[in-house]
């Protein structure tokens, strides 16, 4: 079953960078979610979607995937761009 490895992005609602150093291995969905006729909640029979493994580094996540024969693709971490702007720029 294919999986993806990525690094946690920074939370857009906060300025802190906690837990952004953690690498995550998640399995790709094997089947589409469908609504339950009784409750209307979306779900599927794919239990691998519930698995979310965390690792201290990208190399550790890759090593785990190779050890267990998981075809994993690494999603590159987007570069951090700062938009430096002064308060006075709002009035000019």
């Amino acid at each position: 079953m294919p999986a993806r490895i990525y690094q946690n992005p920074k939370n857009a609602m906060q300025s802190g960078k906690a837990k952004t150093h953690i690498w995550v291995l998640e399995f790709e969905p094997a089947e589409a979610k469908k609504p339950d006729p009784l409750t209307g909640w979306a779900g599927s029979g794919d239990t691998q979607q519930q698995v979310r493994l965390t690792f201290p580094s990208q190399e550790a996540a890759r090593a785990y995937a190779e050890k267990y024969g998981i075809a994993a693709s690494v999603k590159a971490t987007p570069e951090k761009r700062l938009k430096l702007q002064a308060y006075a720029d709002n009035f000019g």
Side-chain angles (χ1 to χ4, degrees):
M1 173 170 281
R4 60 180 168 249
I5 298 171
Y6 63 92
Q7 193 171 18
N8 270 344
K10 186 178 94 54
N11 186 345
M13 302 303 290
Q14 298 177 343
S15 61
K17 295 178 182 157
K19 298 183 184 179
T20 58
H21 63 281
I22 297 173
W23 287 84
V24 179
L25 183 140
E26 284 184 340
F27 291 97
E28 298 285 342
E31 62 182 59
K33 292 185 177 185
K34 52 189 177 267
D36 182 82
L38 182 62
T39 62
W41 294 358
S44 71
D46 182 20
T47 58
Q48 290 292 335
Q49 289 181 338
Q50 300 170 7
V51 178
R52 186 174 191 265
L53 303 173
T54 58
F55 297 92
S57 67
Q58 178 182 358
E59 292 78 25
R62 279 187 178 178
Y64 179 87
E66 289 177 11
K67 179 179 178 181
Y68 291 101
I70 300 168
S73 61
V74 178
K75 183 178 173 188
T77 305
E79 68 177 59
K80 297 172 181 149
R81 293 177 287 150
L82 294 175
K83 182 179 176 185
L84 299 177
Q85 162 176 343
Y87 180 70
D89 294 341
N90 295 328
F91 307 102

